[in-house]
Amino acid sequence: MIKHPSPEVNNNISDNPTISGFPSILLGQLQISAEDANGSGAISARSITVFGAKVETGQMWNNIKLFRNELLVVDDTGSTRTEYQLAQHNNCVYSVPNDQVCEEMGDMFDIGKIRCLRRPPKWKHADASIPMHGGESLLFLGQFYAAKSKLMNQYFGSGQSIYLFTLVSGDTLKFQAFMQDTNEQTAEDHYRLEEQMMAFDSHYKHIDEVEILIKAGDKYLHQYIAEHKRSGKEILTVLLQYAKTKSLKQQILKRLALA
């Protein structure tokens, strides 16, 4: 489950860790259950907390200081707590220094082949960079949204989604991330979509409840359901009735033909 930070949580910036000496802001927290952990290949359940900061680059442009975003990922298993500082090192992907980074552009990689803890990322797939290892994507854990607020603008920047991936080695998780501008949706839209996707994950076996979700959902939820591995013939048939674009209808019909 992903927890999105409330404004009250972020008000006390002084309680947050610093990143390269600069104050950070909480972007979100991901709880991985024992069931999730076993499915991902990790040994133990854990809590993963993500902070972000604006860090000075040491460069100037027209007498203006330049900044870059950096992330701090805190992996807490209950018995161990490990911090990973991620930044861009001549790549689109954020990683720790000297980490081996291999990335694939989204328009060259089938979104259905992205390995996911729960569900695939909601992003502009053609514009995405996917962290890879050994010919496969890293495991996608979840995404966080930097909602518009005065604090977010001051300490990180708003309107971006952060997509967190991991490479599992025993009980050790190595993290990489990708960020993308998703300004066309509001924070409320992002949180509502997250709740609707969780509801679908929990109730996909109940077609009446799924139809209610589909009727209330927007194009992003419809796309999510169309791509979901649990969407069988019955769900796709209902979704086809409410699909609003020709491309989505074609995608659904293609899946129905294979069902």
Side-chain angles (χ1 to χ4, degrees):
M1 179 178 182
I2 291 179
K3 294 182 180 179
H4 298 284
S6 67
E8 293 77 13
V9 170
N10 267 324
N11 277 337
N12 198 353
I13 297 295
S14 61
D15 288 343
N16 293 342
T18 59
I19 301 177
S20 296
F22 291 84
S24 71
I25 191 166
L26 177 65
L27 297 175
Q29 188 177 68
L30 173 65
Q31 299 287 347
I32 299 181
S33 67
E35 182 181 0
D36 289 331
N38 291 332
S40 70
I43 295 173
S44 52
R46 60 229 301 139
S47 172
I48 297 171
T49 308
V50 181
F51 298 90
K54 285 182 179 178
V55 174
E56 288 185 15
T57 65
Q59 298 176 318
M60 304 281 289
W61 182 79
N62 283 352
N63 294 320
I64 299 173
K65 289 182 179 178
L66 297 181
F67 293 82
R68 72 174 187 175
N69 284 136
E70 293 191 8
L71 303 170
L72 184 71
V73 181
V74 182
D75 180 20
D76 190 345
T77 66
S79 58
T80 61
R81 184 178 186 275
T82 311
E83 297 184 355
Y84 300 84
Q85 187 171 329
L86 311 184
Q88 289 178 309
H89 304 282
N90 300 315
N91 299 94
C92 293
V93 167
Y94 288 71
S95 64
V96 299
N98 302 316
D99 196 9
Q100 182 178 358
V101 175
C102 179
E103 54 189 335
E104 187 77 62
M105 292 302 297
D107 59 357
M108 302 294 290
F109 194 83
D110 183 353
I111 192 171
K113 293 183 179 179
I114 296 177
R115 298 170 55 243
C116 308
L117 178 68
R118 298 191 183 107
R119 49 180 173 266
K122 300 307 298 178
W123 59 11
K124 303 166 190 173
H125 184 65
D127 299 329
S129 287
I130 304 163
M132 305 287 292
H133 178 78
E136 292 186 324
S137 75
L138 271 61
L139 182 70
F140 174 65
L141 295 176
Q143 63 194 76
F144 308 89
Y145 181 60
K148 289 184 179 180
S149 71
K150 184 177 179 181
L151 281 174
M152 191 66 73
N153 285 333
Q154 180 179 353
Y155 291 103
F156 186 74
S158 60
Q160 303 176 91
S161 287
I162 299 91
Y163 304 88
L164 188 64
F165 292 79
T166 190
L167 178 64
V168 181
S169 178
D171 195 33
T172 300
L173 303 185
K174 297 181 180 180
F175 298 97
Q176 292 183 7
F178 175 70
M179 289 202 301
Q180 189 177 76
D181 182 4
T182 49
N183 248 328
E184 66 179 271
Q185 283 185 295
T186 65
E188 290 75 17
D189 291 334
H190 278 266
Y191 301 155
R192 187 186 309 113
L193 177 61
E194 181 74 26
E195 290 173 356
Q196 289 174 328
M197 290 191 298
M198 289 174 63
F200 178 79
D201 291 347
S202 300
H203 302 291
Y204 66 88
K205 293 181 180 179
H206 306 287
I207 192 63
D208 291 342
E209 294 182 40
V210 169
E211 184 168 6
I212 292 171
L213 278 172
I214 291 173
K215 289 175 68 175
D218 60 11
K219 63 180 181 179
Y220 299 101
L221 179 67
H222 290 178
Q223 188 67 44
Y224 172 71
I225 294 175
E227 296 168 353
H228 202 287
K229 63 183 179 182
R230 301 290 190 185
S231 294
K233 187 173 182 179
E234 189 174 23
I235 291 174
L236 292 171
T237 300
V238 172
L239 181 60
L240 185 62
Q241 299 176 40
Y242 297 95
K244 297 174 182 177
T245 66
K246 184 177 179 180
S247 61
L248 180 59
K249 289 178 180 178
Q250 290 175 338
Q251 182 180 350
I252 296 168
L253 288 169
K254 188 180 293 185
R255 281 202 65 182
L256 281 170
L258 299 173

